[in-house]
Amino acid sequence: MPDEQKELFLLDANIIIHAHDYYYHMERVPEFWRWLEFHAGNGSICMPLEIIDEIKGGTKAQHANWAKSRDIRDLLVLQEEFDVDLLNRVLDGGYGPDLDEIELEKVGKDPFLIAYGLRDPVNRVVVSNEIPKPSARRKNRKVPDVCADMGVRCCNVYELLRSLDFRTNWRDSI
């Protein structure tokens, strides 16, 4: 019997930003950040390089410093080159053909994230906190809507927490 491949959760930058800013501040819930590191280390969670570079913050932004520190970056960054053909499929099919430079800037790096998910739509899940807005067009499309159109599974942070069973005593169960 062949080995069954496990799910790989591809995190959008907003997962890190929102976790720190709203509900899992690094100083209040350090277990969450160790849990992310654990799952990054075991290959269940990662971020494409293009997406991790979207995490912004000032010199005191702990989440940005955490994500960009060498040790975490080595664990968290997906070790793959992006596929230009998949990226173009996402841009054309998910946002619209012939996007101009202003539209491409507005779309940002989201198409990279979705293209990495499209590489293996059975085993990869894009994780984003964006709220679906099916009526949005072109540059204003949301990650969950584009994922749905492209056949890529997508979930939010709470579904990720359920799937990988986050709890503050998560170490007791490994």
Side-chain angles (χ1 to χ4, degrees), residues 13-25 63 129-130:
N14 62 34
I15 298 301
I16 301 299
I17 295 165
H18 293 170
H20 181 267
D21 290 350
Y22 302 125
Y23 40 84
Y24 293 134
H25 190 279
H63 65 284
N129 281 335
E130 288 188 4

Side-chain angles (χ1 to χ4, degrees), residues 40-52:
N42 77 13
S44 296
I45 290 175
C46 68
M47 292 181 82
L49 180 62
E50 298 83 1
I51 301 305
I52 207 167

